[in-house]
Amino acid sequence: MSQATTEAKPVVSKNQAVGWLRQMLLIRRFEEQSYKLYQMGGKIGGFCHLYSGQEPVAVGSIGVLREDDYVITAYRDHGHALARGMGANEAMAELLGRYTGCSKGKGGSMHFFDAEKGFLGGHAIVGSHIPLAAGVAFASKYQNKDSVCICYFGDGAMNQGSLHEAFNMASLWKLPVIYVVENNMMSMGTQLHRHSCLMDLTVRCGTAYGIPGYSIDANDIELVATTTRECAARARAGEGPSFIEMKTYRYRGHSMSDPAKYRTKEELEDAKARDPIVAYEHILKDRGWIDDEAIERMHDEIKAEVEESIKFAEESEQTPPEALYQDVTVAHHIPQE
Amino acid sequence: MSVIAYREALNQAMSEEMERDERVFLMGEEVAEYDGAYKVSQGMLARFGPRRIIDTPISEEGFCGMGIGAAMVGLRPIVEFMTFSFSLVAIDQIVNNAANMRYMSGGQFAVPIVFRGSSGMAGCLAATHSHRLEAWYAHIPGLTVVMPATPADAKGLLKSAIRSDDPVIFIEHEVLYGDKGEVPDGEHLVPIGKAEIKRAGSDVTLITYSRSLKATMAAAETLAGEGIDAEVIDIRTIRPLDLDTLLESVGKTHRAVIVEEDWPYCGLGAGISDRIMQKAFDELDAPIRRVTTKDAPIPYNRALEASMLPSVDRVVAQVRDVMYSRL
Ligand SMILES: Cc1ncc(C[n+]2csc(CCOP(=O)(O)OP(=O)(O)O)c2C)c(N)n1
Ligand SMILES: [Mg+2]
């Protein structure tokens, strides 16, 4: 439905565009350094799902939202948190299980939160945050506010009942929520055609519920932005939810332990050849908004920023033993032991 | 006898039962082309084909319900949860349909199904991915709940579970998959409802299951060095409990400590302790003590998580406590 494309005409100001490039580069660098820290053993534990390749989804969509809007996502959450303005320090400290982390070292990679930024998590049970988003939108409507909630999930999550229950109510009650499926064509090791009865996701998740559906190439960050903007405007006007299929690609395995045998080297190389960050660098250069020197400076700054976050995390205090019983309930937690 | 890993023992059990009975099939997320998230079903797609080794979408409620339906009309499904933490999405199907069907239908419908998969605190998986749900399932009449601690039991109990005509909750442990041990080749059946004495002793009875067996056995060794002779019992089946074996042991030792990875309140140990007390109160020379995971959601931080688990030290401390008369 949405016609705008990055090539056609800029839909953002120069400052905003350069900011988006910077954010995408930050996420890429953050993820690749996290990968290294994880591989070094011991520093990052548990499940860790990286966002490399999917950056324009979070950056382009969160980039057109307001401060009083809400963002919620699944466990592949580092990119959304950083795009929403979480500091690399708090993010890295969380991965290293430190008290200075965004969830005090209790949530880990899959459970990032930042209330101040309207970032409602990081949710690790597939599909379980999708009704939460409808609830957040309900609260906005209930209070006569025009804040919207944007909710991200993977193609695999379309198969959870929670999505279908929430979509019906969101549409029935015209709730201001934007649902974004990050279609990387892969639910862990199961390709889309092996887990979805239809390939046209707008039919499955839009048409079926009377929700306007879009299907876009998410490598085009400005198309991501314009589409999201349109959906946000509809939500603010009281016209209800939208569904956007953002076609994207993840470079790394599903999580750290995934050898990714379900795809060929060529497929991955192909995707990397169309890297959305490199593409955006070219576009901004063509517009004369940035030059090689500035790009190089940006890379250096980001490198330093991520280095600093690792240093910050490593020098931070481990989550202390007494934290075990903190934040269980608002009242002093009485262990039932 | 061959020495194989816990995950291979499970694979053998499923493969042998599938050879034996055409009605048995395996269904779950990533069980086929990916060879299983924890490689338990490695090679089974190649061996049995896509008709019987079935990759599902992430639709736990849906495919659990399908399994139950198929079981009602004569198939014998094995449904794999990537971990039992995800069984919470399907709990209505398991509790309302699988557990009640025989009873509600006045015995007309059986549900011969096995729900199996990993569980437990595997390390830095945090609150949503570290559940221990054995007490939840053990609470439900109509379900059988099994938790093997060793490769031999993994094989023998899974074969029995697949042959059971009732729904079996078969809970593996994520940190045990790589453990190796001797496993009898071919037809090796471990009966459901039978505990095993892992170490005979006369001073105190240590009751445990699954992963906690390791810390308990290590604690027994430490205690031996202090002159305390502990008997260690692996209950293996959580429901129905082999109470006779426990009573016989307590009748000899007069003391018991229960070691479990679950939370304390309304936990499994509470139920076990109650049943021992009902039958053998007069035999006890000390209150039954429990070593459990501390009462908080599971944190990500590695050291914090480790601090919650039953450790050798915590087991030893509780044993010293019940041995007060001897120290
Ligand atoms: C209810 C539930 N079932 C299974 C899982 C295990 N799991 C985590 S992510 C995942 C695949 C999800 O794929 P998708 O929704 O496409 O998101 P992506 O990983 O591609 O971002 C699976 C099976 C889970 N976390 N929760
Ligand atoms: Mg996906």
Side-chain angles (χ1 to χ4, degrees), chain A residues 289-302:
Chain A
W289 285 1
I290 197 163
D291 57 20
D292 284 330
E293 201 183 313
I295 289 176
E296 201 170 314
R297 214 178 316 120
M298 197 182 267
H299 280 262
D300 288 345
E301 281 166 20
I302 282 160

Side-chain angles (χ1 to χ4, degrees), chain A residues 70-333:
Chain A
Y70 296 100
V71 177
I72 190 166
T73 188
Y75 47 84
R76 197 179 297 285
D77 58 354
H78 311 165
H80 308 85
L82 294 170
R84 190 58 178 168
M86 179 186 288
N89 283 6
E90 293 74 54
M92 191 58 82
E94 189 59 34
L95 295 185
L96 267 62
R98 306 301 161 127
Y99 210 32
T100 52
C102 62
S103 303
K104 293 192 183 162
K106 290 177 168 183
S109 165
M110 302 192 288
H111 309 106
F112 277 17
F113 287 86
D114 191 340
E116 224 168 79
K117 297 269 183 327
F119 183 68
L120 303 178
H123 295 268
I125 299 298
V126 169
S128 95
H129 67 296
I130 296 171
L132 301 186
V136 170
F138 176 89
S140 176
K141 186 170 176 175
Y142 186 86
Q143 293 168 303
N144 283 320
K145 291 183 180 162
D146 71 345
S147 305
V148 307
C149 180
I150 192 162
C151 173
Y152 304 87
F153 50 88
D155 47 295
M158 292 185 308
N159 303 316
Q160 278 289 351
S162 59
L163 180 146
H164 298 277
E165 296 185 18
F167 273 36
N168 179 52
M169 286 184 281
S171 180
L172 181 66
W173 295 329
K174 296 215 178 312
L175 302 178
V177 56
I178 304 167
Y179 281 116
V180 175
V181 62
E182 301 196 45
N183 182 11
N184 55 19
M185 306 290 284
M186 205 58 85
S187 170
M188 201 166 154
T190 309
Q191 301 87 342
L192 184 68
H193 71 273
R194 296 201 300 119
H195 76 71
S196 179
C197 60
L198 293 177
M199 291 299 101
D200 187 337
L201 308 188
T202 61
V203 174
R204 264 193 86 185
C205 294
T207 314
Y209 296 102
I211 296 175
Y214 300 75
S215 176
I216 64 171
D217 172 10
N219 271 15
D220 182 343
I221 186 169
E222 294 188 7
L223 181 56
V224 169
T226 49
T227 310
T228 309
R229 200 182 272 159
E230 205 175 308
C231 296
R234 176 180 312 112
R236 292 193 215 287
E239 289 162 27
S242 309
F243 172 79
I244 314 173
E245 177 199 356
M246 300 208 186
K247 294 186 186 182
T248 184
Y249 198 82
R250 84 167 139 71
Y251 290 171
R252 292 286 178 189
H254 170 69
S255 67
M256 291 299 178
S257 57
D258 174 14
K261 284 188 193 148
Y262 43 77
R263 66 179 173 202
T264 60
K265 239 200 179 124
E266 291 72 47
E267 181 185 321
L268 180 60
E269 291 311 317
D270 241 40
K272 286 186 172 173
R274 288 179 276 111
D275 185 77
I277 304 184
V278 173
Y280 204 46
E281 282 181 354
H282 283 300
I283 288 164
L284 298 194
K285 274 201 297 191
D286 287 349
R287 284 184 197 157
W289 285 1
I290 197 163
D291 57 20
D292 284 330
E293 201 183 313
I295 289 176
E296 201 170 314
R297 214 178 316 120
M298 197 182 267
H299 280 262
D300 288 345
E301 281 166 20
I302 282 160
K303 196 170 157 201
E305 188 175 337
V306 176
E307 283 313 303
E308 164 56 30
S309 76
I310 297 171
K311 187 161 172 284
F312 171 84
E314 288 189 325
E315 289 173 358
S316 288
E317 165 193 19
Q318 292 275 353
T319 304
E322 63 270 21
L324 186 65
Y325 292 134
Q326 289 167 4
D327 294 323
V328 181
T329 49
V330 61
H332 175 67
H333 172 57

Side-chain angles (χ1 to χ4, degrees), chain A residues 41-46 96-97 105 318, chain B residues 122-124 299-307:
Chain A
K43 294 200 173 178
I44 300 174
L96 267 62
Q318 292 275 353
Chain B
C124 301
Y300 167 72
N301 180 280
R302 194 185 303 275
L304 220 52
E305 179 188 350
S307 79

Side-chain angles (χ1 to χ4, degrees), chain A residues 26-81:
Chain A
L26 174 68
I27 294 169
R28 180 69 58 85
R29 180 87 197 169
F30 183 92
E31 294 296 62
E32 295 309 309
Q33 291 305 105
S34 301
Y35 180 85
K36 282 189 193 151
L37 284 174
Y38 196 103
Q39 299 299 346
M40 277 158 59
K43 294 200 173 178
I44 300 174
F47 294 142
C48 185
H49 310 81
L50 302 181
Y51 201 56
S52 299
Q54 303 186 199
E55 297 90 346
V57 173
V59 173
S61 54
I62 292 173
V64 297
L65 296 184
R66 299 192 320 219
E67 268 182 26
D68 61 347
D69 291 330
Y70 296 100
V71 177
I72 190 166
T73 188
Y75 47 84
R76 197 179 297 285
D77 58 354
H78 311 165
H80 308 85

Side-chain angles (χ1 to χ4, degrees), chain B residues 158-230:
Chain B
L158 184 52
K159 284 171 72 81
S160 296
I162 295 168
R163 293 186 199 183
S164 166
D165 285 332
D166 284 318
V168 179
I169 308 294
F170 190 94
I171 306 176
E172 298 147 20
H173 202 297
E174 211 158 316
V175 307
L176 296 180
Y177 282 129
D179 279 14
K180 295 203 163 170
E182 287 200 337
V183 177
D185 301 318
E187 188 76 353
H188 164 60
L189 292 166
V190 173
I192 287 171
K194 275 269 159 248
E196 187 178 48
I197 298 173
K198 290 286 181 185
R199 182 188 195 283
S202 53
D203 293 335
V204 59
T205 302
L206 305 184
I207 300 165
T208 191
Y209 58 93
S210 189
R211 179 229 207 142
S212 302
L213 177 64
K214 284 187 188 173
T216 309
M217 289 297 277
E221 286 311 307
T222 305
L223 291 161
E226 298 179 11
I228 297 172
D229 186 21

Side-chain angles (χ1 to χ4, degrees), chain B residues 61-324:
Chain B
E61 187 178 11
F63 66 74
C64 285
M66 283 178 60
I68 295 165
M72 287 173 69
V73 293
L75 298 187
R76 305 184 77 86
I78 306 169
V79 170
E80 176 175 310
F81 289 118
M82 210 173 264
T83 100
F84 264 92
S85 288
F86 309 150
S87 75
L88 290 174
V89 176
I91 200 145
D92 170 59
Q93 289 296 337
I94 301 171
V95 172
N96 278 321
N97 289 341
N100 288 337
M101 200 61 71
R102 182 185 291 279
Y103 193 78
M104 283 189 312
S105 68
Q108 297 180 78
F109 283 101
V111 182
I113 190 170
V114 176
F115 296 102
R116 50 154 292 272
S118 72
S119 87
M121 293 159 62
C124 301
L125 299 185
T128 58
H129 276 53
S130 304
H131 287 291
R132 294 86 52 232
L133 298 173
E134 54 268 27
W136 288 44
Y137 290 119
H139 192 64
I140 311 293
L143 295 180
T144 298
V145 185
V146 175
M147 290 185 82
T150 65
D153 285 348
K155 176 172 177 182
L157 282 166
L158 184 52
K159 284 171 72 81
S160 296
I162 295 168
R163 293 186 199 183
S164 166
D165 285 332
D166 284 318
V168 179
I169 308 294
F170 190 94
I171 306 176
E172 298 147 20
H173 202 297
E174 211 158 316
V175 307
L176 296 180
Y177 282 129
D179 279 14
K180 295 203 163 170
E182 287 200 337
V183 177
D185 301 318
E187 188 76 353
H188 164 60
L189 292 166
V190 173
I192 287 171
K194 275 269 159 248
E196 187 178 48
I197 298 173
K198 290 286 181 185
R199 182 188 195 283
S202 53
D203 293 335
V204 59
T205 302
L206 305 184
I207 300 165
T208 191
Y209 58 93
S210 189
R211 179 229 207 142
S212 302
L213 177 64
K214 284 187 188 173
T216 309
M217 289 297 277
E221 286 311 307
T222 305
L223 291 161
E226 298 179 11
I228 297 172
D229 186 21
E231 178 145 299
V232 177
I233 300 178
D234 175 2
I235 55 175
R236 304 195 292 192
T237 298
I238 309 296
R239 181 190 184 98
L241 184 67
D242 180 2
L243 190 59
D244 290 344
T245 297
L246 303 186
L247 292 177
E248 201 173 309
S249 177
V250 171
K252 182 171 66 173
T253 63
H254 310 292
R255 295 168 175 85
V257 173
I258 302 166
V259 186
E260 57 191 312
E261 195 180 312
D262 203 357
W263 286 309
Y265 191 52
C266 301
L268 190 65
I272 295 173
S273 164
D274 171 65
R275 294 189 67 195
I276 294 171
M277 222 111 71
Q278 299 298 329
K279 294 275 185 210
F281 183 74
D282 292 338
E283 292 287 350
L284 291 168
D285 286 346
I288 296 173
R289 294 280 182 221
R290 294 168 60 205
V291 181
T292 68
T293 288
K294 291 184 184 168
D295 187 42
I298 311 306
Y300 167 72
N301 180 280
R302 194 185 303 275
L304 220 52
E305 179 188 350
S307 79
M308 301 175 81
L309 280 168
S311 60
V312 173
D313 286 350
R314 287 177 62 206
V315 177
V316 167
Q318 291 303 318
V319 170
R320 286 192 188 127
D321 192 58
V322 300
M323 296 296 297
Y324 53 85

